[in-house]
Amino acid sequence: MGVLEKIKEIEAEMERTQKNKATNYHLGTLKAKLAKLRNDLLIEQGGSGGGPSEGFDVARLGDARVALMGFPSVGKSTLLGALTETESEAAAYEFTTLTCVPGTMHYKGSRVQILDLPGIIEGAAHGKGRGREVIACARNADAILMVLDAGKEGLNRHREILEKELETVGIRLNKRPPDVVFRKKTSGGIRFSSTVKLTKLGPDPEKLAMQILREYRVANAEFLAREDITVDELVDVIVGNRTYKPCLYLYNKIDTVTIEEVDELARMPHSIVGSVNQNFNIGGPLDDDLLKSKLWQYLGLTRVYTKRKGQAPDLEEPVVLSKIRKGTTVKSLCFNVSTQMARDFNYALVWGRSAKHSPQRCGINHDLLDQDVVQIVTKTNNQQKQDKNYQKMVQGFSDAYHKKKFEAKKRKQGRLKT
């Protein structure tokens, strides 16, 4: 029996089984087996093949990256032209876009890379329509903008299908990683503990967790749950290769449905309605519209203005920080500007909403808010000399200088010989 047949058999058994406290242990074991088989299937399909294939991934540019995903002919290419100044081919037939088309959205001083991906179909997680390449490209994005056709959503359930495809390959939408500590060990057996009462793992959570760990051949580990988790979250923690992405659902073409249907779609979680052709909630590349502000919110971007000592702050070009990438602390700002600034950091003076008074002297772990003004004060020469790593740092600079000088001398000798 192949892997696909085993997956279908387990899914059929899960549908036949009633959900209650008595069957919770059995269903948890089946979910663990199903997740393991799906993971094995993805590895098997990814490793097989007859040679290199053209990928859709492109170089990462800008302060954040958003992937446009959806079924064919929902308006992704037209939306790319509305958000950026990039023109992507759009036509009245399906699969117009056959590769990844990147563009840059300029909003509030930031540069957000928008990727127009080819339309995917049901079964994309298993390779249909080059769906695995599209999903792999979306996995590298900071956020996903799911474009749906408002006129087709009622009958076709495209949102549910796309969520299931991404769930199959380990992408969790609008969720956060469970607050669980899981460490594999070489000996000592399995140590299971929790700081809260686990009500979603049945009457005997430890027994269910032990069975799932045995399913993944884990004999020695330390497991600590700090929140009430489900069986699916337990499996995600054990597997460890899950990706958590913020996702905004855009219902396009609302001019083709009734006002009652628009109201119903707008009330769905993480959703926004609009029309690219009618410019409803979606303006031009330089307009400030609802879609751009929602993307800014989901990406967790923060503008920070820098200031030199004795000078006015630079309000023209802000440093854009991202919660998803490196965080929005003073430390993230230092690394964004220069690694040497982070190494020689002494303290920061902050003006803005994150400061209790202006200016406030802050440490390197201070959380910044949007439009804060920051002045970084580095250590003096005497303070740097008192650092315990000062001698090691000076030796590193000396070694790098002599290595560069030796390589230059070697290149010069090579040119003289020729």
Side-chain angles (χ1 to χ4, degrees), residues 53-60 65 67 95 97-102 113-120 127-138 140:
S53 59
E54 183 182 356
F56 293 134
D57 206 2
V58 294
R60 185 185 289 266
R65 170 185 280 190
F95 296 104
T97 305
L98 300 177
T99 186
C100 177
V101 181
Q113 188 180 44
I114 308 293
L115 302 182
D116 179 18
L117 300 176
I120 62 176
K128 288 187 178 180
R130 301 188 73 179
R132 287 173 57 83
E133 296 176 71
V134 176
I135 294 175
C137 187
N140 295 326

Side-chain angles (χ1 to χ4, degrees), residues 384-400:
Q384 293 182 29
K385 289 178 182 179
Q386 294 175 2
D387 194 338
K388 61 180 180 180
N389 297 322
Y390 179 74
Q391 295 295 335
K392 185 178 180 181
M393 181 181 64
V394 172
Q395 187 63 42
F397 283 139
S398 177
D399 293 343

Side-chain angles (χ1 to χ4, degrees), residues 330-331 333-334 345-351 359-364 366 368 373-378:
V330 175
K331 183 178 181 180
L333 173 64
C334 293
F345 176 84
N346 190 10
Y347 63 91
L349 297 176
V350 180
W351 294 261
Q360 179 182 352
R361 178 168 172 165
C362 304
I364 199 168
H366 176 75
L368 299 171
V373 177
V374 181
Q375 176 185 331
I376 304 296
V377 180
T378 56

